[in-house]
Amino acid sequence: MRRVGITFLAALAAVSVVSVSANPLPSTTQLTSSQPTGTKKCHVNPTPFVIPSLQEWDGGSGNWKLNANTRIVVDPSFANGGALDADSTFMRNPSNLKQYAASFQADISEVTGVNVEVVVSSTYGANDIFLTLGADSTDPELNIEGYLLGITRKGISIQGVTSRGAFWGTRSVLQMLILADERGYALPHGHARDFPNYSERKFMQDIARKPIPMSDLHEYATLSSFYKFNTLHHHYNDNPGMQVKSLMPDWQTKYAGFRLRTENPEYSMYASNDTSYTKQDMREFQDFIKARGLDLIPEIDTPAHSLCFTKFHPNWSIQNDTARGDWLDLGNPEVQPFLEGLWTEFIDWFDSREVSIGADEYDPTKGDLARKFINSMHDYFATNFNRSIRMWGSDVRLQGSIEINQNIHTDHWDWTYSSPVDLVKRGHKVSNLNAPDSYLVPRTLSYEDFIDSRKIYNLWEPWVFDIFDKTNTSRNLSPNEPLLTGGGLGNWNDFLSESVTRVELFDRVSRALDVFGEKLWAGAKNSDHISYDKWAPLAKKLRENIPGITLRRRPQTKGQFVMSYDFENGVTDASGNAYDAKLQNGATIVEAGEGHGRAAQLTPDSYISTPVDAISYPYAVAMWIKPSGDQQPNAVILESEDGRVLISNNTSPTVIFEQDGNQYNTQVILPPGQWSHLAFSADTQQTTVFFNMRRVATVQYYNPRWDVLANSTMLVTAPLSTIGSAKGNSMSGLVDGFVVLDRASYGGEMAFLGKRYADALP
């Protein structure tokens, strides 16, 4: 759908009624203002803050309040879906109103603690939230994902054109509840008419070069849906940046990810051993995201980025030293039948009517060969699967005389590879993921390590492909261009798993999706009258309270101390948060002497469990530790699902941080049989390690890629689930004075935290 002009909403006073039986909300053509022209309206509630902002709002006076009697009432006429639901999504079997209500129910419970009931009924009361369909689908502005919202003394009504549109209305109400926590979850009376300016609001993620557990993908889906994104795009195969074979003779040894694991032995060999997804995984994932209003576009990227295939079949790569090893040779008669068979194997895993074949960054000397391949894949999908394809913009780099089929949807990403203006002139649908503005690439020097949200908020629009020359029609499209489907954020993990932790990555994405969600739905409407400085604090509060999100790794705390165990009174937490620990499998409290009083004693099989799994930056963790002289290899000091702090005994008892299976050496040596004070602290820039209350190291990752070759600082997520390990590999020795702060710390403060036992230092 195109971006349309916005007309201010007439008052919708008659929107909500009690004891309705069908279509309780009038069509937009029936709406009239309840306020006579020229009459001053008193006590008008201002527009509630939500992301993306409401397109139109007519404020009333007074408030509706969530309470123990609130129900979510689903209109029985539409409980199992509406006639237009299939038109609002790429996905087969889209979710219905009752399924969306179940998602909303869980969200309200987590945010407010109120357990609302979902009922199917044609009547609702003043305490209830009523979900229905029937909003005017002929209204060109309301469009297929729009909805009408009424908040009155008679209850809340959400009426969508489609079930998905009604679900977007629940996102607005949910966000209002989050921001109304200090007002007892009271929402302002008023009426909204809300709709997206663009039909595609996408979060694209490279999950090939960073192994991402399925549980994390669920959280990215929850995050995206919260901001009314309607599309996920998963990039399932890739490898690090490659040089031509003459400069990279070991190209076959490089990491290559392929995330789909089939039981068919013809294709099972390509699945990555670190992380891959089965057909059942993908079935459950798609059912989950459909109940949150999301489509999934699957991408298997060929004929470039294909090391996952060419390392098994080197004869399928282009056979000369000026070609990259990850380029499939489209002139080889075995290659295209293989790719067609590959897609045939996996196509039924996915519900989407549109898939991506990638097709970017291929050998520029083979333009027409690549263009012929792209067109043949379009025909193959249309003929065999009744599905359409999309590709990354490549026509500028792949010069040739063969015209790429105009029915292929193009994700524009770089002007050196494609021109969105020329693509539209030739009849292609275009989506805006133009780099560097829409590219998030952790630890990069070329794109955005963190998205500049202020820049996006103030300058970016889906129709803008050059934010510094927005009026240049040769560099930008019209806001009303019908072939512009929308755009979004692309997360690429070029530097592989060890370059960024799961929690770091989620933090980067979560700080970016809100502002892209704003601009993809409402465009400049909100940023024209609310400054970024006013928008950002409210956006932060929403971001920190999204239900269903655990990857923030920020435990609740009453003060700066999250946990504090001095072991004088067993494993009672002295922080005030009641995070009392438990001695497990033979862990004991003993008299330690040397000025330490009582301390915890661990053996390889024993450990201490805590109710806090981990903490992400900013934080500080400090402890006294006296390891015995006999340690197992990689003995565990701290552990959680995010990682471990280890004593490596390869050559000496060195402290090692492990995150997502990747290890980072600190060069800090813990002398056996002696008390040492070990601490580490992370801010937004680095993780600093302190030994005996002196700053001695930062946790670093060395990027070995041929065009980088540099160290980068890492932000470690502190593992707190156990002191020692529940898996039988704990450090042997004593632990004392264990403290966790919810902010970063520094050397002088570390000295203060360790001072109590400082005379025990050698």
Side-chain angles (χ1 to χ4, degrees):
M1 70 202 62
R2 69 184 66 182
R3 187 180 188 277
V4 292
I6 298 171
T7 58
F8 227 74
L9 178 65
L12 308 181
V15 165
S16 299
V17 294
V18 180
S19 300
V20 295
S21 58
N23 293 351
L25 305 181
S27 73
T28 54
T29 58
Q30 298 171 316
L31 297 175
T32 58
S33 173
S34 63
Q35 185 65 31
T37 303
T39 303
K40 184 176 181 181
K41 195 170 182 179
C42 300
H43 309 296
V44 174
N45 289 322
T47 305
F49 183 93
V50 296
I51 299 174
S53 58
L54 299 173
Q55 294 277 20
E56 300 175 1
W57 170 259
D58 180 58
S61 59
N63 297 288
W64 174 93
K65 197 167 186 177
L66 182 77
N67 59 66
N69 297 316
T70 297
R71 304 175 302 165
I72 300 172
V73 180
V74 180
D75 188 340
S77 300
F78 305 106
N80 294 317
L84 297 176
D85 282 0
D87 297 331
S88 70
T89 173
F90 286 141
M91 306 290 273
R92 296 174 298 188
N93 304 316
S95 289
N96 58 44
L97 210 55
K98 191 160 59 174
Q99 291 167 320
Y100 284 131
S103 298
F104 189 30
Q105 176 190 37
D107 292 338
I108 289 178
S109 176
E110 183 172 340
V111 165
T112 69
V114 177
N115 295 315
V116 297
E117 181 184 7
V118 175
V119 299
V120 178
S121 175
S122 59
T123 62
Y124 70 102
N127 294 313
D128 296 334
I129 303 171
F130 185 63
L131 303 183
T132 186
L133 304 185
D136 187 2
S137 62
T138 64
D139 180 348
E141 288 186 328
L142 198 58
N143 65 58
I144 207 161
E145 290 185 88
Y147 66 93
L148 303 176
L149 169 66
I151 306 174
T152 75
R153 60 182 177 81
K154 299 177 181 180
I156 292 181
S157 297
I158 301 173
Q159 183 184 42
V161 175
T162 60
S163 297
R164 180 189 249 179
F167 181 69
W168 298 144
T170 71
R171 302 303 85 188
S172 295
V173 172
L174 179 65
Q175 292 187 17
M176 292 180 202
L177 287 170
I178 290 172
L179 295 178
D181 60 339
E182 296 178 359
R183 303 191 302 273
Y185 304 112
L187 306 188
H189 285 167
H191 298 86
R193 179 170 171 268
D194 199 19
F195 48 87
N197 288 342
Y198 295 95
S199 63
E200 182 170 272
R201 306 176 302 282
K202 180 167 74 171
F203 171 49
M204 174 272 154
Q205 190 163 36
D206 169 11
I207 60 176
R209 289 179 284 197
K210 172 68 180 176
I212 298 180
M214 185 56 74
S215 59
D216 288 12
L217 295 183
H218 280 70
E219 295 202 22
Y220 282 110
T222 298
L223 176 69
S224 303
S225 171
F226 186 76
Y227 298 117
K228 301 188 178 78
F229 281 74
N230 65 1
T231 305
L232 301 176
H233 177 155
H234 283 171
H235 181 79
Y236 289 118
N237 67 293
D238 215 327
N239 41 263
M242 305 288 285
Q243 293 175 288
V244 297
K245 292 179 179 179
S246 61
L247 297 176
M248 189 177 279
D250 61 344
W251 61 271
Q252 284 180 260
T253 68
K254 303 301 181 183
Y255 181 87
F258 185 76
R259 299 298 172 202
L260 304 178
R261 179 175 294 277
T262 177
E263 295 181 359
N264 184 342
E266 188 173 354
Y267 302 103
S268 59
M269 71 180 79
Y270 306 114
S272 298
N273 291 325
D274 49 8
T275 299
S276 56
Y277 316 120
T278 66
K279 185 176 184 178
Q280 183 62 28
D281 291 335
M282 297 312 305
R283 176 71 273 137
E284 293 172 358
F285 178 70
Q286 289 172 98
D287 290 344
F288 176 85
I289 69 170
K290 284 195 286 187
R292 284 151 186 82
L294 290 161
D295 296 345
L296 174 65
I297 295 173
E299 178 188 341
I300 299 176
D301 191 0
T302 59
H305 302 278
S306 297
L307 184 62
C308 58
F309 308 125
T310 60
K311 71 188 310 178
F312 286 96
H313 310 283
N315 59 307
W316 288 0
S317 68
I318 297 175
Q319 299 297 300
N320 65 66
D321 286 343
T322 61
R324 289 179 4 189
D326 65 336
W327 286 345
L328 285 165
D329 182 0
L330 294 176
N332 186 318
E334 297 179 355
V335 167
Q336 186 156 340
F338 164 77
L339 295 177
E340 291 173 353
L342 183 76
W343 272 110
T344 300
E345 176 68 23
F346 291 111
I347 192 67
D348 287 339
W349 290 28
F350 300 101
D351 291 344
S352 178
R353 295 192 296 267
E354 184 171 275
V355 304
S356 176
I357 64 167
D360 64 320
E361 297 189 297
Y362 189 57
D363 186 345
T365 69
K366 300 185 182 299
D368 266 339
L369 190 62
R371 288 166 174 251
K372 180 181 178 182
F373 164 76
I374 291 165
N375 287 342
S376 68
M377 292 300 283
H378 168 272
D379 296 343
Y380 183 77
F381 277 90
T383 301
N384 292 278
F385 311 121
N386 193 29
R387 306 200 198 197
S388 58
I389 67 170
R390 65 196 299 155
M391 61 180 286
W392 293 100
S394 300
D395 58 298
V396 170
R397 182 62 64 93
L398 294 174
Q399 291 292 316
S401 59
I402 297 174
E403 184 67 27
I404 295 175
N405 191 308
Q406 69 175 17
N407 293 316
I408 298 174
H409 197 164
T410 302
D411 287 306
H412 169 83
W413 68 283
D414 190 298
W415 280 93
T416 63
Y417 283 83
S418 66
S419 163
V421 176
D422 290 343
L423 285 167
V424 164
K425 288 179 179 178
R426 297 200 303 274
H428 290 270
K429 291 186 295 183
V430 174
S431 182
N432 184 355
L433 282 89
N434 187 55
D437 305 318
S438 300
Y439 265 33
L440 190 162
V441 186
R443 304 287 189 265
T444 186
L445 301 176
S446 303
Y447 298 113
E448 302 283 355
D449 186 14
F450 281 87
I451 291 292
D452 184 345
S453 294
R454 183 185 296 273
K455 179 183 74 172
I456 299 301
Y457 187 82
N458 290 327
L459 297 176
W460 189 84
E461 300 286 342
W463 55 272
V464 173
F465 293 80
D466 187 342
I467 63 173
F468 299 113
D469 196 5
K470 295 169 70 170
T471 62
N472 186 341
T473 57
S474 69
R475 300 280 294 176
N476 302 285
L477 297 177
S478 163
N480 299 316
E481 171 53 58
L483 291 175
L484 175 61
T485 56
L489 173 69
N491 160 223
W492 296 96
N493 298 303
D494 289 18
F495 303 134
L496 305 182
S497 176
E498 59 266 30
S499 68
V500 63
T501 72
R502 293 165 53 209
V503 175
E504 281 184 295
L505 181 60
F506 187 84
D507 180 57
R508 282 164 164 78
V509 171
S510 67
R511 291 170 185 263
L513 279 185
D514 52 6
V515 70
F516 277 98
E518 177 69 50
K519 303 309 285 283
L520 287 161
W521 181 280
K525 175 182 180 294
N526 191 47
S527 52
D528 280 349
H529 68 272
I530 299 178
S531 70
Y532 177 80
D533 289 332
K534 292 182 178 179
W535 181 88
L538 293 171
K540 181 175 183 290
K541 182 170 182 178
L542 287 177
R543 184 169 65 245
E544 292 176 350
N545 290 280
I546 301 173
I549 299 299
T550 67
L551 280 167
R552 289 192 64 250
R553 302 292 197 259
R554 296 295 296 171
Q556 294 184 347
T557 182
K558 296 177 180 178
Q560 62 181 332
F561 285 88
V562 179
M563 303 159 71
S564 179
Y565 306 132
D566 65 8
F567 302 112
E568 296 303 316
N569 297 301
V571 286
T572 301
D573 175 26
S575 71
N577 294 315
Y579 289 140
D580 295 346
K582 293 181 180 180
L583 299 170
Q584 304 281 11
N585 217 31
T588 58
I589 304 298
V590 299
E591 291 293 336
E594 300 180 88
H596 277 262
R598 308 184 78 197
Q601 185 171 52
L602 300 178
T603 63
D605 293 326
S606 64
Y607 62 97
I608 301 169
S609 62
T610 85
V612 178
D613 185 62
I615 186 169
S616 178
Y617 53 92
Y619 68 81
V621 176
M623 73 192 84
W624 285 91
I625 185 168
K626 184 180 180 181
S628 69
D630 183 21
Q631 301 290 337
Q632 298 186 67
N634 291 327
V636 177
I637 301 173
L638 298 172
E639 187 171 60
S640 76
E641 68 168 291
D642 294 306
R644 305 183 295 175
V645 181
L646 309 171
I647 302 175
S648 170
N649 282 318
N650 291 335
T651 56
S652 59
T654 305
V655 176
I656 300 287
F657 286 89
E658 183 178 277
Q659 300 274 284
D660 305 343
N662 304 301
Q663 293 193 349
Y664 308 91
N665 196 327
T666 67
Q667 307 300 321
V668 173
I669 296 175
L670 292 176
Q674 296 181 10
W675 281 107
S676 301
H677 192 259
L678 176 67
F680 54 102
S681 174
D683 55 22
T684 59
Q685 302 297 320
Q686 61 187 5
T687 305
T688 303
V689 183
F690 300 85
F691 180 68
N692 287 341
M693 295 165 282
R694 292 180 176 84
R695 181 182 185 275
V696 293
T698 58
V699 180
Q700 294 193 333
Y701 148 71
Y702 178 72
N703 190 333
R705 201 172 105 159
W706 53 274
D707 57 347
V708 181
L709 302 177
N711 282 318
S712 298
T713 56
M714 297 291 295
L715 294 176
V716 170
T717 302
L720 300 175
S721 181
T722 59
I723 302 173
S725 173
K727 300 174 183 177
N729 194 38
S730 298
M731 60 148 284
S732 296
L734 301 175
V735 176
D736 200 8
F738 185 85
V739 174
V740 180
L741 299 176
D742 77 336
R743 58 174 175 78
S745 190
Y746 54 93
E749 191 169 53
M750 288 299 178
F752 175 78
L753 292 173
K755 185 176 180 181
R756 175 179 173 188
Y757 311 117
D759 56 358
L761 288 172

